[in-house]
Amino acid sequence: METENAVNYTYMGRSFKDLSINDDDSSAFSDCNSDRSGEFPTTSSQSRRLLLACANSENSDELIRQLVSDLESCSIDEQKQAALELRLLAKNKPENRIKMAKAGAIKPLVSLISSSDSYLQENGVTAILNLSLCDENKELIASSGAIKPLVRALRTGTSTAKENAACALLRLSQIEENKVAIGRSGAISLLVTLLENGGFRGKKDASTALYSLCTVRENKIKAVEAGIMKPLVELMADFGSNMVDKSAFVLSVLVSVAEARTALVEEGGIPVLVEIIEVGSQRQKEIAVAILLQVCEDSVVYRALVAREGAIPPLVALSQSGTSRCKQKAETLIELLRQPRSGNAAARPSNVSV
């Protein structure tokens, strides 16, 4: 598995060890935390039972054991109630996540994800998401065969199931060994579809998962082949979408491969990036410059294209008013663009990646 992280870039004797935007690129993303799709029923006896369990450790132990047993009941209604209650217990009290794993909840919950009943599937997916928030559970969830059912839910589930499946896959992808398995299970194309067609939360969850998964080269290629560049460019161009930063960060991890750079140009991404440098926020401007540096480093043709789009004037302004790191990147890109026919002798990347 080839994982790509920091960027090392050398130009005109100056070395850039990192083309990232700040110490935490992922700050552009809202983390996929526990489910945001429901709370305790307000009047039922189950509500009182759950509230009591959340308040009392001994009660929660007993309740969890009973609910795990109910997951394998012959009664669909009992399964539904057990899945709902386990989901809420895992959401509202972190220590319950360990207790549920130790009580054997993970395998029957994974089985529910493949249910033809949408309610069971949604609660199974969401319970697994909530359990995956505990780092100790991630490996067990993956080894229990959760990846393929989660991908199936991403394809066939309700909108909530799809969003929570994307979040669960993100959590599992935080174990490096899972990234290739998730990509090879068919998740990438489905996440691209969610990015393009989902609601706002779906777009956010898909972009966050793709940002994590596409640190692996083969997943970058899969994303490009799935048509990711079109929705990324469209979202970056829409300043009212609240997706400019997230889309740009996903693009930043993709453009280390030639296929992504080609697709970016074909989808009209260069004018969009130049516009971001002109009118975007400080962070948006910096990520756009970092992307264009990677696009231009090996291609005289792309340098000329970027220059023709009018990138130099806003880059000059940025080199005079941005942060010290942003100024340095802007100055380097200006130098590249002002000698677009000079070949590649001056710019030799050493392990260019994001």
Side-chain angles (χ1 to χ4, degrees):
M1 176 176 65
E2 181 180 350
T3 302
E4 304 176 337
N5 292 307
V7 173
N8 295 316
Y9 181 83
T10 302
Y11 178 72
M12 297 293 286
R14 284 184 285 180
S15 177
F16 299 85
K17 292 184 179 179
D18 185 7
L19 287 185
S20 65
I21 303 312
N22 51 43
D23 292 335
D24 182 14
D25 289 355
S26 62
S27 64
F29 298 99
S30 58
D31 191 21
C32 283
N33 286 318
S34 63
D35 68 277
R36 294 152 279 178
S37 55
E39 283 293 346
F40 294 119
T42 56
T43 59
S44 68
S45 61
Q46 286 84 1
S47 169
R48 292 189 290 275
R49 180 166 66 153
L50 284 168
L51 289 170
L52 181 62
C54 282
N56 186 299
S57 176
E58 185 175 333
N59 284 333
S60 69
D61 290 346
E62 180 181 350
L63 176 58
I64 286 169
R65 286 193 293 270
Q66 181 60 53
L67 292 173
V68 171
S69 176
D70 288 348
L71 286 177
E72 300 184 278
S73 167
C74 295
S75 166
I76 294 293
D77 288 339
E78 285 188 8
Q79 288 182 339
K80 287 181 177 180
Q81 189 61 41
L84 171 63
E85 294 191 31
L86 286 167
R87 170 192 133 192
L88 294 174
L89 285 169
K91 172 181 180 178
N92 288 282
K93 201 166 185 183
E95 53 264 42
N96 285 338
R97 298 165 191 161
I98 290 286
K99 292 179 180 179
M100 288 166 62
K102 289 182 177 178
I106 289 176
K107 283 193 174 182
L109 285 171
V110 168
S111 296
L112 292 188
I113 299 174
S114 298
S115 173
S116 60
D117 184 292
S118 61
Y119 185 89
L120 271 176
Q121 182 188 57
E122 183 177 309
N123 280 298
V125 167
T126 310
I128 288 294
L129 164 61
N130 293 346
L131 289 174
S132 73
L133 300 177
C134 174
D135 288 340
E136 292 91 331
N137 288 342
K138 291 175 185 174
E139 191 170 328
L140 179 57
I141 291 170
S143 65
S144 297
I147 291 174
K148 288 185 177 179
L150 286 170
V151 171
R152 193 176 304 117
L154 199 55
R155 179 183 294 110
T156 65
T158 65
S159 59
T160 297
K162 289 178 180 179
E163 292 160 356
N164 288 342
C167 283
L169 289 169
L170 163 68
R171 304 298 300 189
L172 298 184
S173 76
Q174 291 167 349
I175 297 176
E176 285 295 316
E177 292 75 14
N178 290 337
K179 291 184 178 182
V180 169
I182 293 170
R184 291 177 180 176
S185 70
I188 302 296
S189 63
L190 295 170
L191 288 168
V192 170
T193 299
L194 185 60
L195 178 68
E196 186 166 19
N197 300 323
F200 179 58
R201 185 192 156 191
K203 291 179 188 296
K204 288 198 304 180
D205 293 343
S207 66
T208 308
L210 286 163
Y211 180 77
S212 174
L213 290 166
C214 288
T215 58
V216 176
R217 179 180 173 82
E218 75 172 68
N219 287 345
K220 298 178 200 278
I221 304 299
K222 289 180 188 294
V224 174
E225 291 175 344
I228 193 173
M229 207 55 66
K230 181 177 182 290
L232 285 182
V233 170
E234 290 176 349
L235 289 168
M236 287 192 302
D238 182 0
F239 285 89
S241 69
N242 291 320
M243 287 290 298
V244 176
D245 298 57
K246 298 172 184 64
S247 300
F249 273 106
V250 175
L251 178 57
S252 75
V253 299
L254 293 173
V255 292
S256 61
V257 298
E259 293 87 344
R261 297 192 291 273
T262 300
L264 173 66
V265 173
E266 291 176 348
E267 291 293 341
I270 299 301
V272 172
L273 289 167
V274 172
E275 183 182 14
I276 290 173
I277 296 172
E278 292 175 332
V279 301
S281 68
Q282 187 65 38
R283 179 166 66 176
Q284 290 166 358
K285 291 178 180 182
E286 189 173 351
I287 184 64
V289 173
I291 291 168
L292 287 175
L293 271 172
Q294 293 188 78
V295 170
C296 291
E297 66 183 355
D298 281 334
S299 175
V300 171
V301 172
Y302 291 166
R303 291 181 212 172
L305 179 59
V306 172
R308 285 199 302 272
E309 288 296 333
I312 291 178
L315 284 169
V316 170
L318 190 58
S319 71
Q320 296 169 351
S321 63
T323 64
S324 58
R325 183 162 60 178
C326 191
K327 288 178 180 179
Q328 190 179 36
K329 293 173 184 174
E331 290 167 358
T332 303
L333 184 53
I334 290 167
E335 291 171 2
L336 269 175
L337 299 180
R338 281 178 170 165
Q339 42 184 327
R341 301 186 184 281
S342 63
N344 298 324
R348 289 192 178 90
S350 55
N351 187 31
V352 175
S353 58
V354 177

